[in-house]
Structure formats: structure tokens, C-alpha cells
């Protein structure tokens, strides 16, 4: 697939950036419609985004570069070039959380109230973003047979035909999983009548991590550290940490109810 969507005044506009932009727009639209359900101030969310988004990009790129340092130490001029991909979602989430923490502490507002609001939006944006990987020819799995890939739509077959071989469309699996998780989170946000207190955000962490753990095992472009797939390790930490957080908050709620 051609990673360049079009050129305007000599500037290349890549599908990767377009899908990230579409994901952000979709995320804001979803948050806008969800915010009134729990009387969350959407205007403050925009303020948080202005602080958190730059740190998310820095975190996503820094995380990727860190675990690919053998390459980037020899190509330092490419460290800030994100036009062709190389953004790691785990680093992006950490950067965004840092930005949100700084802003909410400064303004003395409840961070977790906004974390719960944006949880469905974040994973919706991730679902869009994986299609940017598709056009970049990345985030795919190992070689598969023509018979296997023939079960997918023709444009997927075309995109997964790279250097003379067909590849497992793991980007598609994760995109579908992300959309399904988004639907689940939206339902919980709009139908769970008690104060969420960050439980929805950590439900997002758990559900996304479950899907990512298994899908990551099929990918051929994983980041490694000491022979381990970093995304799988972080996913396990996310699952365990999320369960512990939800258990603690739920226990405290029940204790305070008596």
C-alpha cells in the first residue's frame, strides 16, 4: 500500500498521520457525548488534552526509540521523525497520564473522573491508529499462505502482500479488538450508576492488555528487552495492576458503605 495519501504544495500527507488525526477527532466526539452522562466538564478535558497530548507523543516516540536504541544510536537524525511510524502506545499512555496528572494536580480537579471519561475514547483512537500501521506496512504478523489471506477483503490481501509474501494482518485483529472494548466501556460508562473512581480506566487497561498480549505474540516487529517482548510484559503488568486497583477501590467502597 502507498503510505502517502496525497501531496499538497510539495508536502506529503501520509495515511499514518491522517488516521491518527481521525482517531483523535473520533475520540473527542465520543467524549463530548459521554461527558454529560456523568456531568463532567468537557471544556476542562480540552485543557487537559492540550497539556497531555504533546507529552503523549514524546512518550510514545521516546519509548519506541529507547527499545530500538541500537538502530537510533547510529541514526540520530531520525529520532524525531515520526512520519513513517514508530510510536509505541504504552509510552504514549504513560506520557499522557503524566501530563494529565500535572494539570489536574495544578487545577485541583479529580484526575480519575476524566480518566474514566476518556477511557473509551483512547481505545477508539487506537482502533483508528492501527489502520495507519496498515498503510505503513507494519504491525503485521508472520508469513501466511495465499489460501489463508484469501479469506480477507481484497484490499487487506493487497496491503498484506509485502516483498513477495502474504502476512498475518495482526493490525486488523487489534483494531477490531479495540472497537469491541470501546463498545463495552461506553456501555459501562453510561449504565453503571455508581462513582467509577478510575475503575473504567483500569478496565480499559485490563481489556486492552489482554488483547494486546495475545496479538503481540503473533507480530514480527515487536520491541524486545532481554529476549522478552516488551509489549507482552507491560500488558501483564497492566492486567495485574488494573485488577489490584479495581479490587482496592471496590473494597473501600463496600467498607465505607457500612
Amino acid at each position: 500500500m502507498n503510505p502517502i495519501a496525497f501531496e499538497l504544495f510539495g508536502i506529503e500527507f501520509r495515511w499514518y498521520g491522517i488516521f491518527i488525526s481521525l482517531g483523535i477527532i473520533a475520540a473527542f466526539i465520543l467524549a463530548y457525548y459521554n461527558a454529560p452522562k456523568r456531568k463532567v466538564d468537557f471544556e476542562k478535558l480540552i485543557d487537559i488534552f492540550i497539556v497531555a497530548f504533546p507529552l503523549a507523543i514524546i512518550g510514545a516516540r521516546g519509548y519506541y526509540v529507547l527499545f530500538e536504541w541500537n538502530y537510533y544510536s547510529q541514526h540520530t537524525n531520525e529520532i524525531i521523525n515520526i512520519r513513517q511510524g514508530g510510536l509505541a502506545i504504552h509510552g504514549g499512555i504513560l506520557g499522557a497520564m503524566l501530563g494529565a496528572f500535572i494539570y489536574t494536580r495544578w487545577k485541583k480537579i479529580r484526575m480519575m473522573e476524566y480518566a474514566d471519561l476518556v477511557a473509551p475514547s483512547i481505545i477508539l483512537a487506537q482502533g483508528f491508529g492501527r489502520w495507519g500501521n496498515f498503510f505503513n506496512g507494519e504491525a503485521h504478523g508472520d508469513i501466511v499462505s495465499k489460501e489463508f489471506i484469501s479469506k480477507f477483503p481484497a484490499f487487506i490481501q493487497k496491503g498484506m502482500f509485502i516483498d513477495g509474501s502474504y502476512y498475518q494482518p495482526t493490525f486488523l485483529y487489534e483494531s477490531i479488538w479495540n472497537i469491541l472494548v470501546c463498545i463495552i466501556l461506553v456501555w459501562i460508562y453510561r449504565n453503571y450508576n455508581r462513582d467509577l473512581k478510575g475503575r473504567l480506566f483500569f478496565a480499559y487497561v485490563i481489556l486492552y492488555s489482554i488483547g494486546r498480549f495475545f496479538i503481540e505474540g503473533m507480530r514480527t516487529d515487536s520491541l524486545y528487552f532481554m529476549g522478552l517482548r516488551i509489549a507482552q510484559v507491560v500488558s501483564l503488568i497492566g492486567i495485574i495492576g488494573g485488577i489490584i486497583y479495581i479490587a482496592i477501590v471496590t473494597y473501600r467502597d463496600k467498607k465505607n458503605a457500612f
Side-chain angles (χ1 to χ4, degrees):
M1 303 296 288
N2 186 354
I4 301 172
F6 59 90
E7 287 190 24
L8 187 63
F9 304 118
I11 301 174
E12 294 180 349
F13 288 82
R14 291 177 171 264
W15 286 112
Y16 188 77
I18 290 172
F19 275 103
I20 288 177
S21 300
L22 289 174
I24 293 171
I25 294 170
F28 266 108
I29 292 172
L30 180 60
Y32 176 80
Y33 282 103
N34 278 338
K37 178 64 179 178
R38 293 179 177 270
K39 298 180 174 60
V40 180
D41 189 340
F42 182 76
E43 297 297 325
K44 287 182 180 177
L45 175 62
I46 296 175
D47 294 337
I48 294 172
F49 175 81
I50 292 171
V51 175
F53 184 68
L55 289 179
I57 296 297
I58 293 170
R61 185 58 172 175
Y63 184 101
Y64 184 85
V65 169
L66 176 64
F67 291 107
E68 290 284 356
W69 185 244
N70 286 339
Y71 173 83
Y72 285 104
S73 63
Q74 304 298 320
H75 303 82
T76 54
N77 60 312
E78 295 184 28
I79 289 178
I80 62 173
N81 179 19
I82 62 173
R83 289 168 57 79
Q84 298 182 35
L87 297 175
I89 185 60
H90 288 124
I93 292 171
L94 291 173
M97 288 181 67
L98 175 61
F101 176 78
I102 292 171
Y103 183 84
T104 53
R105 290 279 292 190
W106 176 41
K107 291 294 185 177
K108 295 181 173 58
I109 56 180
R110 295 174 61 196
M111 175 178 170
M112 284 306 172
E113 184 176 58
Y114 290 88
D116 287 326
L117 171 62
V118 301
S121 295
I122 292 172
I123 201 159
L124 176 62
Q126 289 175 237
F128 274 83
R130 282 304 176 200
W131 287 92
N133 296 135
F134 169 65
F135 282 94
N136 271 354
E138 59 190 8
H140 57 70
D142 213 336
I143 294 174
V144 295
S145 66
K146 185 175 182 179
E147 180 183 4
F148 177 86
I149 204 70
S150 66
K151 298 178 175 65
F152 295 87
F155 76 99
I156 298 289
Q157 297 178 42
K158 180 180 178 182
M160 288 295 95
F161 189 70
I162 303 170
D163 297 330
S165 299
Y166 290 104
Y167 286 83
Q168 185 91 261
T170 48
F171 85 92
L172 177 63
Y173 306 157
E174 187 171 330
S175 181
I176 292 172
W177 175 253
N178 290 347
I179 300 302
L180 290 175
V181 172
C182 175
I183 293 170
I184 293 169
L185 296 179
V186 168
W187 187 90
I188 295 172
Y189 189 84
R190 300 181 73 86
N191 291 279
Y192 186 79
N193 295 323
R194 295 168 62 184
D195 190 350
L196 289 165
K197 298 180 180 179
R199 278 175 285 205
L200 192 73
F201 179 79
F202 281 96
Y204 148 69
V205 172
I206 293 168
L207 292 173
Y208 170 67
S209 296
I210 290 172
R212 180 64 184 270
F213 180 86
F214 289 104
I215 295 169
E216 189 69 22
M218 293 185 278
R219 285 178 55 171
T220 57
D221 60 348
S222 299
L223 300 175
Y224 284 87
F225 181 69
M226 298 180 64
L228 299 174
R229 295 177 190 258
I230 294 301
Q232 288 188 315
V233 174
V234 174
S235 293
L236 285 176
I237 294 172
I239 293 167
I240 296 169
I243 291 172
I244 292 172
Y245 179 90
I246 292 173
I248 290 172
V249 173
T250 302
Y251 170 76
R252 287 177 177 173
D253 277 355
K254 289 181 178 179
K255 185 178 180 180
N256 294 333
F258 293 100

